[in-house]
C-alpha cells in the first residue's frame, strides 16, 4: 500500500542548530510533497509544498528537498528556536484530492 | 486562526448514542475533508466533498455518515460507534485539488479538531 514514513522517534536539538527531518515514500510516486506543522490540541498548518520536478524549495528558515531517486524528502529548519518545537507532518499526493500523510516527527528545540 | 471551525471540541459518547460533528469554513473553498487522527498514526482520509459532491469515501464504516449541505458546511453523523473509533477528527478545506492550475498547492486548511471518546 502507498505509504509515507517518518521517523517516529522525537528529535531533540539545541537552539540555533539546524533541525533535519526525513520523509520517505513507498509504493507510489507522489507528484508533490507537503509539509505541515501541528501543535498539541490544534490541526495541522501548511508550511511548504515541493513538486517532483523541483529539487529544493525555501521559505524563510525552512528548506525542503525532494529526491526521487532516494524516494525521500528532507525538511530543514535553520537557526532553530524553542518556538519551532512541534510535530511536523509530511504528506504526498499524485493529483486529485487524496493526500497521504505520515505519522509525523516530534521536534523539541532546547534553549 | 485558520478559517475552519469545528464543534464540539470534545465529545464523549456511549456506543449506542447518536451524535454529529460540525465543520464550517469561512474561506470560500470548494473542497472539504474529514480525517481521523489516532495517536502515533498517520492522518486517515475519510471523506472528500467537492462542490457538495462526495468524491472520496475511503472505505469508511457505515456508522460514520457524512453530509455536505453546501460548500461551507460539513457534518459527520455518528451512530453505534466502537471504542476504537476514539480519536481526533479533523476537518479541512482547500481551494482546489492538486494537479490544478500551475501554482496550486492543494494546501489544506485544518480546523482544531474534535476529540472523540467512545465509552
Amino acid at each position: 500500500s502507498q505509504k509515507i514514513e517518518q521517523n517516529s522517534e522525537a528529535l531533540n536539538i539545541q537552539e540555533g542548530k539546524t533541525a533535519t527531518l526525513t520523509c520517505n515514500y513507498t509504493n507510489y510516486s507522489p507528484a508533490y510533497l507537503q509539509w505541515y506543522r501541528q501543535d498539541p490540541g490544534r490541526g495541522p498548518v501548511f508550511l511548504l509544498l515541493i513538486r517532483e520536478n523541483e529539487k529544493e524549495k525555501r521559505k524563510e528558515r525552512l528548506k525542503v528537498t525532494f529526491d526521487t531517486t532516494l524516494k525521500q524528502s528532507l525538511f530543514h529548519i535553520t537557526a532553530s528556536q524553542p518556538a519551532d518545537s512541534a510535530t511536523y507532518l509530511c504528506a504526498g499526493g499524485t493529483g486529485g484530492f487524496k493526500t497521504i500523510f505520515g505519522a509525523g516527527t516530534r521536534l523539541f528545540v532546547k534553549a | 486562526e485558520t478559517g475552519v471551525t469545528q464543534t464540539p471540541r470534545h465529545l464523549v459518547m456511549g456506543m449506542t448514542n447518536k451524535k454529529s460533528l460540525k465543520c464550517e469554513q469561512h474561506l470560500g473553498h470548494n473542497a472539504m475533508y474529514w480525517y481521523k487522527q489516532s495517536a502515533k498514526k498517520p492522518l486517515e482520509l475519510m471523506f472528500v466533498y467537492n462542490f457538495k459532491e462526495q468524491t472520496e469515501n475511503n472505505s469508511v464504516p457505515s456508522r460514520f455518515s457524512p453530509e455536505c449541505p453546501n460548500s461551507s458546511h460539513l457534518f459527520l453523523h455518528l451512530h453505534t460507534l466502537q471504542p476504537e473509533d476514539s480519536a481526533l477528527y479533523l476537518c479541512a478545506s482547500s481551494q482546489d485539488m492538486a494537479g490544478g492550475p500551475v501554482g496550486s498547492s492543494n494546501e489544506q486548511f485544518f480546523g482544531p479538531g474534535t476529540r472523540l471518546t467512545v465509552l
Side-chain angles (χ1 to χ4, degrees):
Chain A
S1 61
Q2 299 172 343
K3 278 189 182 178
I4 293 279
E5 294 175 311
Q6 297 182 254
N7 193 341
S8 59
E9 289 185 20
L11 179 63
N12 291 282
I13 64 166
Q14 201 67 35
E15 182 177 12
K17 301 291 186 185
T18 296
T20 299
L21 285 66
T22 303
C23 169
N24 294 291
Y25 55 90
T26 56
N27 298 325
Y28 80 124
S29 297
Y32 63 88
L33 292 167
Q34 298 173 325
W35 284 86
Y36 289 79
R37 169 185 173 141
Q38 187 173 21
D39 291 287
R42 297 191 168 218
V45 175
F46 175 82
L47 297 174
L48 278 172
L49 173 142
I50 185 166
R51 300 184 189 277
E52 60 180 339
N53 61 347
E54 298 173 317
K55 297 279 188 197
E56 180 180 300
K57 188 95 71 73
R58 291 176 186 260
K59 180 182 177 182
E60 297 172 354
R61 294 185 295 112
L62 308 180
K63 185 178 87 171
V64 174
T65 63
F66 196 155
D67 190 326
T68 55
T69 301
L70 294 178
K71 299 191 175 185
Q72 181 179 85
S73 174
L74 297 179
F75 176 80
H76 306 272
I77 305 175
T78 58
S80 59
Q81 304 164 1
D84 295 326
S85 298
T87 297
Y88 291 87
L89 307 179
C90 175
T94 55
F97 291 102
K98 187 170 182 177
T99 305
I100 295 172
F101 280 81
T105 298
R106 189 76 197 271
L107 172 66
F108 292 97
V109 181
K110 293 185 288 187
Chain B
E1 297 303 327
T2 64
V4 180
T5 58
Q6 290 187 244
T7 54
R9 293 294 309 276
H10 301 271
L11 178 62
V12 179
M13 59 188 288
M15 289 192 285
T16 58
N17 291 157
K18 287 185 180 181
K19 296 287 184 183
S20 296
L21 310 184
K22 179 182 176 182
C23 175
E24 183 174 1
Q25 57 99 356
H26 311 273
L27 302 168
H29 288 168
N30 301 320
M32 296 188 76
Y33 310 70
W34 279 117
Y35 286 91
K36 175 183 178 183
Q37 187 175 35
S38 303
K40 301 194 176 181
K41 289 188 177 180
L43 266 71
E44 297 174 44
L45 179 64
M46 300 175 73
F47 303 103
V48 182
Y49 280 81
N50 186 39
F51 291 102
K52 304 190 298 177
E53 299 298 319
Q54 189 178 117
T55 60
E56 293 276 348
N57 177 338
N58 214 25
S59 302
V60 180
S62 59
R63 57 186 184 269
F64 296 92
S65 175
E67 178 189 0
C68 188
N70 55 59
S71 291
S72 298
H73 293 86
L74 186 64
F75 295 88
L76 189 62
H77 305 298
L78 316 171
H79 63 100
T80 59
L81 295 191
Q82 305 297 312
E84 60 264 29
D85 297 322
S86 299
L88 181 68
Y89 287 85
L90 290 161
C91 173
S93 71
S94 68
Q95 178 59 44
D96 52 35
M97 63 180 179
V102 172
S104 66
S105 68
N106 193 29
E107 172 186 350
Q108 292 176 52
F109 292 76
F110 285 84
T114 296
R115 174 66 62 186
L116 174 66
T117 303
V118 182
L119 301 176

